[in-house]
Amino acid sequence: MVRIPPTTSNAVSQLVEPLPPPPQLSHVLSITSIPSVTFTLDGAPKTTPFSEKILDGPHEVVFQASLSRQNLVFGFGGWSDGDPNATRTILLAADTFLLAVYLSPVGILTGDSDRATLSIAQRGGRKMFRDAMGKYLVFYVNTSKKICLCVNNGDPGVQGWLPAFRHTTGPDLRRPAVVLTGSNEARVIAARDIGGIIDIPVLLTRDAIGNVVDVAFGPAELVDDIGSWPAAIVAHDGSIWVVYSRRDTLGSSIVAAHWTLGGWTRETILTDTIDLQAMFPNVLERGDNSRLYMVANRDASSPNTTMVFNSATFANGVWTWGAPVLVWKTKISRGPQDAPDMVWDARSNLALILHDVSGEEFYALFGLDAQDLETRFDTPVLAIVNNEWGLLHVDPVTGDFAIAMMNGSTTGTIGWVFRRGGVWTTSLLLADSGPENLGILGLSDSFDIVYGKAPSPGSTSPPVQIRYARVM
């Protein structure tokens, strides 16, 4: 008890109780990582995923600078809030979620790629695979405008890539879409430089333990004498579907070409007679009811920020395309660098569609169930300058998402944002901080990507180096 001396106006002693100490506030600190690791929090060992309510104030978090897995050293790749340091102090004042990642060393596949927009960068034109024997295959177009194949028979983070197998004859081509049609066979569907769509068979030769030791490219077959920007899949019945952009006197169209044992047939599944600019399609087959989805955005010169749509059903061995929808979604970013990506999520039975939002710096992501009902997974606004070449990954075990992207306009940095436990990160976790990167392709079920490295920032001129990176 404190006695206050009497004042001239109040000679009576006043007794004042001391103020109580301020309450100690606490909040939830959640830390997760790829992969799960042991770390220390204020000197105490913890394991990710970690989530506890702790007192506000400074807390020291220490992660290992590197991790070793199967003879491969992964370096600490940074935190979701942009901090690059494995050891850091967190000043806790609110509920906080942080993600840390470890990245493989960057590997170089080849240095003779054509411009990324003509070679590797195309959402519907899949070109990177991990085949049934665990071998990595990356198709690209070289500076001679011929199809090439890079092979890695081991782990690309440990083992180097074989010298590229190069096709030296046939027409000049661009923007290939590739499908694997067997353990030793592939088909390259590509646009010719002079226009039109062609089909090139590829035969792989393997040794006794499944390593690819040689590649043979067959003669090209003409699918259509007009067309560009193909996207391709192998359907459940073994047939091949290719959708591509076709512009002629009738307007701007999407054509679906279908290969069966009887050869190629074609069907126009959507035509716009008003907006004559190109469209950039993608195609996906649902894993539950075998329905096909085709979506496409518009060219940058188009006045329309819309996504077009069509779908096909399969019944009694017959595929049937439905009515085209010229305005299926709005506020869709234009240009091939913002073409929609599509992934089948077998864990949740959702067809996932990712697209950039026109005039905004975030991605819209939604899933369609078997009745076409939507579930939204949109990212928040991202801490970036400009998001391009968005590529969706889905973890087949946890169902978590990641989006690989380029941050820039013509060229930029390459990295990922992640959705873990229902929460998106907003800062780009960088695979390559150089400003001269452009174009991304990758695997949908793991965090493996390849991307182009231009000769200088802002340049799209060949030759372009192709590099590999992945999150552990």
Side-chain angles (χ1 to χ4, degrees):
M1 183 175 297
V2 178
R3 183 176 296 276
I4 299 177
T7 65
T8 56
S9 62
N10 183 7
V12 179
S13 297
Q14 302 179 37
L15 300 180
V16 179
E17 295 290 338
L19 294 175
Q24 289 186 297
L25 299 179
S26 59
H27 286 92
V28 175
L29 175 62
S30 300
I31 299 176
T32 188
S33 64
I34 304 174
S36 177
V37 297
T38 298
F39 69 102
T40 64
L41 174 64
D42 298 329
K46 306 291 183 181
T47 301
T48 59
F50 164 86
S51 185
E52 287 185 11
K53 194 171 188 178
I54 60 177
L55 293 176
D56 283 7
H59 297 277
E60 184 184 54
V61 176
V62 179
F63 270 63
Q64 298 178 60
S66 62
L67 294 174
S68 297
R69 293 288 191 277
Q70 298 176 344
N71 299 319
L72 176 61
V73 177
F74 289 78
F76 186 79
W79 294 88
S80 55
D81 64 352
D83 192 320
N85 301 302
T87 298
R88 62 176 295 182
T89 297
I90 297 170
L91 188 60
L92 189 67
D95 290 346
T96 300
F97 170 83
L98 291 170
L99 167 69
V101 299
Y102 286 82
L103 302 176
S104 73
V106 170
I108 299 175
L109 282 70
T110 185
D112 70 336
S113 173
D114 202 350
R115 287 187 301 168
T117 52
L118 300 179
S119 175
I120 63 169
Q122 183 186 352
R123 283 289 70 85
R126 189 179 179 198
K127 289 171 276 290
M128 183 178 185
F129 304 88
R130 185 176 52 245
D131 70 13
M133 299 186 184
K135 315 305 178 184
Y136 285 75
L137 312 175
V138 175
F139 293 82
Y140 72 99
V141 175
N142 67 4
T143 53
S144 298
K145 302 187 180 300
K146 299 297 186 287
I147 192 68
C148 304
L149 171 60
C150 288
V151 175
N152 195 304
N153 285 312
D155 186 327
V158 178
Q159 185 169 307
W161 294 78
L162 298 180
F165 298 96
R166 296 178 173 90
H167 193 19
T168 57
T169 62
D172 292 349
L173 52 83
R174 57 179 63 185
R175 304 184 184 112
V178 182
V179 292
L180 301 183
T181 53
S183 58
N184 297 317
E185 298 175 351
R187 304 275 283 277
V188 176
I189 315 298
R192 298 182 303 181
D193 255 16
I194 62 173
I197 304 296
I198 58 173
D199 170 17
I200 301 174
V202 181
L203 181 65
L204 309 180
T205 300
R206 300 181 188 263
D207 63 15
I209 59 174
N211 291 326
V212 177
V213 295
D214 198 10
V215 176
F217 299 92
E221 177 184 353
L222 186 64
V223 178
D224 195 342
D225 59 358
I226 301 176
S228 190
W229 301 101
I233 59 167
V234 176
H236 73 280
D237 62 348
S239 66
I240 300 172
W241 280 101
V242 179
V243 295
Y244 55 93
S245 176
R246 193 180 201 276
R247 300 166 68 195
D248 54 25
T249 57
L250 298 178
S252 178
S253 301
I254 300 294
V255 175
H258 190 207
W259 181 89
T260 64
L261 293 178
W264 287 101
T265 57
R266 302 193 310 267
E267 177 182 355
T268 300
I269 60 172
L270 182 145
T271 298
D272 193 331
T273 59
I274 305 300
D275 185 344
L276 304 183
Q277 303 304 317
M279 294 178 273
F280 309 109
N282 205 339
V283 63
L284 175 75
E285 182 182 21
R286 296 188 62 91
D288 48 9
N289 60 15
S290 302
R291 187 177 174 190
L292 296 182
Y293 292 132
M294 185 286 301
V295 298
N297 70 327
R298 306 277 190 165
D299 188 68
S301 56
S302 167
N304 296 308
T305 56
T306 54
M307 183 184 294
V308 303
F309 173 86
N310 204 341
S311 65
T313 57
F314 181 83
N316 301 317
V318 177
W319 295 93
T320 305
W321 285 94
V325 182
L326 289 176
V327 183
W328 189 55
K329 302 292 180 183
T330 59
K331 288 202 70 177
I332 308 299
S333 289
R334 295 165 296 182
Q337 71 277 10
D338 289 319
D341 196 20
M342 305 175 75
V343 174
W344 172 248
D345 182 3
R347 189 173 181 272
S348 60
N349 279 346
L350 292 177
L352 297 169
I353 301 174
L354 174 78
H355 70 85
D356 191 5
V357 180
S358 180
E360 307 288 349
E361 303 306 334
F362 72 93
Y363 279 104
L365 173 61
F366 60 94
L368 297 178
D369 68 10
Q371 287 74 44
D372 289 347
L373 298 177
E374 288 188 12
T375 301
R376 306 296 307 195
F377 305 101
D378 299 347
T379 74
V381 174
L382 304 175
I384 58 174
V385 176
N386 186 34
N387 48 313
E388 306 278 32
W389 304 110
L391 173 78
L392 179 63
H393 308 274
V394 181
D395 189 316
V397 177
T398 66
D400 290 324
F401 305 142
I403 302 172
M405 71 186 78
M406 184 189 83
N407 179 21
S409 295
T410 305
T411 61
T413 59
I414 297 287
W416 294 267
V417 293
F418 296 86
R419 186 178 189 268
R420 309 286 288 185
V423 179
W424 280 103
T425 63
T426 57
S427 294
L428 206 59
L429 286 153
L430 294 176
D432 194 317
S433 59
E436 67 277 22
N437 305 299
L438 70 166
I440 306 172
L441 62 91
L443 302 179
S444 62
D445 60 353
S446 65
F447 305 135
D448 298 76
I449 62 170
V450 297
Y451 59 94
K453 173 74 74 172
S456 61
S459 170
T460 59
S461 300
V464 170
Q465 190 180 83
I466 300 179
R467 295 190 172 192
Y468 167 88
R470 82 164 182 263
V471 177
M472 187 172 183

